[in-house]
Amino acid sequence: MATAAVPVIVHLSLVVGGELRDRAGGRIGRVDDVIVRLGEEYPPVSGVLATVAGRQVFVAAEAVGEIGHGRTLLHRDQLDLRAFERREREVLLKKDVLDRQLINVDGARLVRANEIELARLDGWYRVVGVDVGLRGIARRVVPRRMAGRIKLGDFLDWASVEPFTGHVPTVRLRVPHPKLARLHPAQLADLVEAASHREGAEIIDAVKTDQELEADVFEELDSQHLREFLDERSDEEAAQVIARMEPDDAADALGDLAEDRRERVAELLPAAQRRKVRTLAGFDPATAGGLMSPEFVCVYDTATCTEALDRVRRSRASADTVAWVYVMSRSRRLRCAIPLADLLRADPAAEIGDAATFMPPTVRPDADVEELARLMTDFDLTVVPVVDAHEHLVGVITVDDVLELLLPRGWRRQFGLFGDE
């Protein structure tokens, strides 16, 4: 069986600056840049930008026969000498992509395009990857006669790359973008924080049409970036984002706004969300009251397991907070709790007060984060209930909220999620 030929990699740095030759091999100009059209997994070359007879012209891909190191050959004798005008989704590889940051989607990190790699696939030349290592830089600084001897370096497949295109007038990231959609909101937030403000704004703009994802990303941003991006929005736009956030995160977001703006934005929130946010805003952010979410599932002890599960299905609380279902007495005092997995295995007709046997340790709203951490560690908990002086359940705290306060700022980058930053 014949094996498919391995495509020959062509380095952009050895194409740009090379000769443009006619069908007979005569030199007619110099290649200034290579143009591709985004949208496909491996963007096809739509033409080259060249200087011919002292003027810069566009040479369409249909007129190009071969792209190689040091020379690009034409297979047509006539050229269209009109000035180049960008078409929709077109980028210039040298001007718009080379030496700029890209998003490595598979690695959820930012990388620098030190070299851009082309190859002939499916009948024409396409961008197949970028070199993010030192060899890509070295190839561009050594004499051209030696550059071709430098082998392929740290190759990153273009299928896992997303370029920033906010600086390109004919291209913008669109939402939901198929590559960015593969990332978790926390990963997107990390990218926003690691990028420049313009690049971060481009990522956020790319998730704006998916309103739930946008809110999730804002929940994951640190205070500085959260305020920066909310400050760029009107009160109405800021309220729309905060309204879709979890109540505890929404309260934090309001607190990060300028003082003279908080009340205006709060008044624009839906009434239910506004009540929850104002309640949480009355607590110190580093205490149980400031960390808790007021959204949980709590039923009377006389409810059946089937009725309790129906409450879980109808609840809009996050999956983390409904990992436990809480049980209260007729006087609304917290009596016990049951893990969701155990509730699923219980007799559907049984009263939940009989099925639930564990009384979880509780904290008061003024408990500090160290106490919460010790409690979660000692009892192997991912959720801790918060009760008032009457033992009424007022909120729950999930382990991720505690970890965010305990871990040092920027810990994701410290542990190498962004390479050698």
Side-chain angles (χ1 to χ4, degrees), residues 21-23 61-66 73-77 124:
R21 297 187 177 186
D22 60 20
R23 287 200 304 175
E62 293 76 16
V64 178
E66 180 183 344
L73 301 178
L74 304 180
H75 63 67
R76 289 183 183 176
D77 290 330
W124 192 236

Side-chain angles (χ1 to χ4, degrees), residues 82-136:
R82 288 178 297 179
F84 168 65
E85 292 184 5
R86 288 180 185 265
R87 293 174 294 183
E88 185 179 359
R89 304 183 72 85
E90 283 187 337
V91 297
L92 280 65
L93 291 181
K94 178 185 176 183
K95 180 179 180 181
D96 300 330
V97 182
L98 189 64
D99 289 328
R100 294 181 182 271
Q101 288 200 123
L102 311 170
I103 301 173
N104 174 3
V105 178
D106 288 346
R109 56 186 288 182
L110 299 180
V111 295
R112 177 187 170 93
N114 295 329
E115 177 70 280
I116 299 175
E117 313 294 6
L118 308 169
R120 192 178 181 93
L121 297 174
D122 300 328
W124 192 236
Y125 291 94
R126 299 173 180 270
V127 179
V128 295
V130 294
D131 190 330
V132 298
L134 294 177
R135 289 185 181 180

Side-chain angles (χ1 to χ4, degrees), residues 83-230:
F84 168 65
E85 292 184 5
R86 288 180 185 265
R87 293 174 294 183
E88 185 179 359
R89 304 183 72 85
E90 283 187 337
V91 297
L92 280 65
L93 291 181
K94 178 185 176 183
K95 180 179 180 181
D96 300 330
V97 182
L98 189 64
D99 289 328
R100 294 181 182 271
Q101 288 200 123
L102 311 170
I103 301 173
N104 174 3
V105 178
D106 288 346
R109 56 186 288 182
L110 299 180
V111 295
R112 177 187 170 93
N114 295 329
E115 177 70 280
I116 299 175
E117 313 294 6
L118 308 169
R120 192 178 181 93
L121 297 174
D122 300 328
W124 192 236
Y125 291 94
R126 299 173 180 270
V127 179
V128 295
V130 294
D131 190 330
V132 298
L134 294 177
R135 289 185 181 180
I137 297 176
R139 190 179 298 113
R140 296 162 54 193
V141 298
V142 302
R144 184 175 283 264
R145 65 179 182 278
M146 300 173 56
R149 302 175 189 174
I150 299 177
K151 296 181 179 179
L152 191 65
D154 296 331
F155 180 86
L156 193 60
D157 193 304
W158 187 266
S160 68
V161 166
E162 189 63 71
F164 288 105
T165 56
H167 58 289
V168 182
T170 55
V171 185
R172 293 289 186 273
L173 283 176
R174 296 302 178 191
V175 181
H177 197 282
K179 292 182 184 178
L180 293 184
R182 304 204 299 257
L183 296 179
H184 187 276
Q187 293 175 311
L188 290 168
D190 288 339
L191 290 171
V192 170
E193 293 171 8
S196 68
H197 183 80
R198 180 189 60 77
E199 292 167 341
E202 186 174 338
I203 294 173
I204 289 180
D205 189 57
V207 300
K208 191 179 289 186
T209 58
D210 185 339
Q211 296 180 341
E212 293 302 322
L213 177 58
E214 180 188 33
D216 290 343
V217 172
F218 270 88
E219 289 177 356
E220 300 291 345
L221 290 175
D222 61 32
S223 296
Q224 176 186 341
H225 287 85
L226 179 69
R227 178 169 178 171
E228 284 181 10
F229 292 111
L230 286 180

Side-chain angles (χ1 to χ4, degrees), residues 232-305:
E232 295 177 349
R233 303 191 177 201
S234 67
D235 291 347
E236 291 76 12
E237 292 170 333
Q240 288 170 4
V241 174
I242 293 175
R244 291 188 292 271
M245 297 169 69
E246 293 294 322
D248 53 334
D249 293 308
D252 292 340
L254 269 180
D256 288 331
L257 293 178
E259 188 172 354
D260 62 349
R261 195 182 181 204
R262 292 172 194 165
E263 188 58 29
R264 297 201 309 269
V265 174
E267 285 296 325
L268 295 170
L269 296 175
Q273 179 79 327
R274 184 168 61 248
R275 286 193 299 271
K276 294 174 184 177
V277 167
R278 283 179 169 163
T279 298
L280 295 173
F283 296 103
D284 184 328
T287 64
L291 290 171
M292 70 182 181
S293 169
E295 295 188 338
F296 50 83
V297 174
C298 187
V299 297
Y300 286 109
D301 51 12
T302 54
T304 65
C305 291

